[in-house]
Amino acid sequence: MSTRDRMLDAAAHVMRTQGLAHATTKQIAKEAGFSEAALYKHFRDKTDLFVAVLNERAPNTLGTLLGGLSRRIGQTPLRETLADIALAAIAFYRHNFPMAASVFSEPNLLTAHTKALRDTGTGPARVNQALADYLAAEQRLGRVRAGADPRAAATLLIGGCFQHAFLGFFAERPDDEQADRRFAESLVDTLALDITERA
């Protein structure tokens, strides 16, 4: 395992157990078995580390699905694609929420984090935009009702996934992929009543 990989693993552990706001680069370096100076040879700052953790240590299914949506346009059944995205989004938010929630407790950290996301072209809005673009493409093929709003549909689906993952922490709901799959399919079916035509 490379030095960078060890640092990322340590950062993921510290950020997940202590929250982003309370995690320090000194703690992360110590957890990885390196000096803080060594850490800064690979990462500019804690925000850079956090973005790398999200991109490289979070469940990657959501990113992979979003990156491959163009290949599903007009090919894969709409319900299947949306259920796959919903399930991946639930897993992504469940994994990352404990790390990311504390960023909102420190205005300076939130500002720095928002800037880093903007600079790298990443961030939560990218998920909604990718899904809205996919739905708009399917709409042009007639697989989504002409009067539907792709952006609103994407927001409803992703928002439902985020809330499901978020509320799971309060209910102390154990990870259950089958239950998540049923919820994802139910969410898609409910949305489909208003937004999509079966394809």
Side-chain angles (χ1 to χ4, degrees):
M1 184 179 284
S2 72
T3 297
R4 186 178 183 279
D5 282 334
R6 285 171 62 186
M7 290 175 176
L8 277 177
D9 285 348
H13 173 74
V14 172
M15 288 175 181
R16 215 171 141 70
T17 56
Q18 299 190 29
L20 180 60
H22 297 291
T24 66
T25 51
K26 185 175 182 178
Q27 286 175 299
I28 292 166
K30 183 178 178 182
E31 175 88 12
F34 296 101
S35 67
E36 197 172 8
L39 188 80
Y40 284 115
K41 289 180 182 177
H42 296 272
F43 304 96
R44 289 188 309 272
D45 52 27
K46 186 168 73 171
T47 300
D48 190 33
L49 252 174
F50 179 56
V51 171
V53 166
L54 285 182
N55 289 334
E56 300 176 44
R57 291 300 183 269
N60 197 33
T61 310
L62 182 60
T64 301
L65 279 171
L66 294 175
L69 278 178
S70 61
R71 293 187 296 276
R72 290 186 173 218
I73 296 168
Q75 302 297 319
T76 309
L78 199 60
R79 181 180 184 274
E80 179 183 325
T81 297
L82 295 179
D84 287 347
I85 289 171
L87 186 62
I90 290 167
F92 179 84
Y93 293 128
R94 180 179 289 132
H95 183 271
N96 291 314
F97 190 78
M99 275 189 294
S102 64
V103 75
F104 294 95
S105 67
E106 292 189 19
N108 290 341
L109 185 58
L110 179 59
T111 299
H113 178 59
T114 302
K115 181 182 182 307
L117 292 177
R118 213 171 27 246
D119 291 348
T120 57
T122 58
R126 189 173 62 95
V127 176
N128 290 49
Q129 188 60 56
L131 181 54
D133 290 346
Y134 163 77
L135 289 171
E138 292 286 23
Q139 190 174 50
R140 289 190 290 274
L141 294 178
R143 299 202 331 156
V144 171
R145 183 169 50 80
D149 181 340
R151 185 177 300 275
T155 300
L156 287 168
L157 184 67
I158 298 302
C161 295
F162 180 85
Q163 187 192 46
H164 180 74
F166 172 74
L167 292 178
F169 290 104
F170 295 95
E172 297 181 356
R173 198 166 48 221
D175 290 358
D176 182 342
E177 189 172 343
Q178 291 304 315
D180 287 343
R181 168 64 71 175
R182 286 192 299 273
F183 175 80
E185 290 174 351
S186 177
L187 191 62
V188 170
D189 286 343
T190 301
L191 185 65
L193 293 174
D194 217 348
I195 303 297
T196 63
E197 294 176 349
R198 295 304 176 112

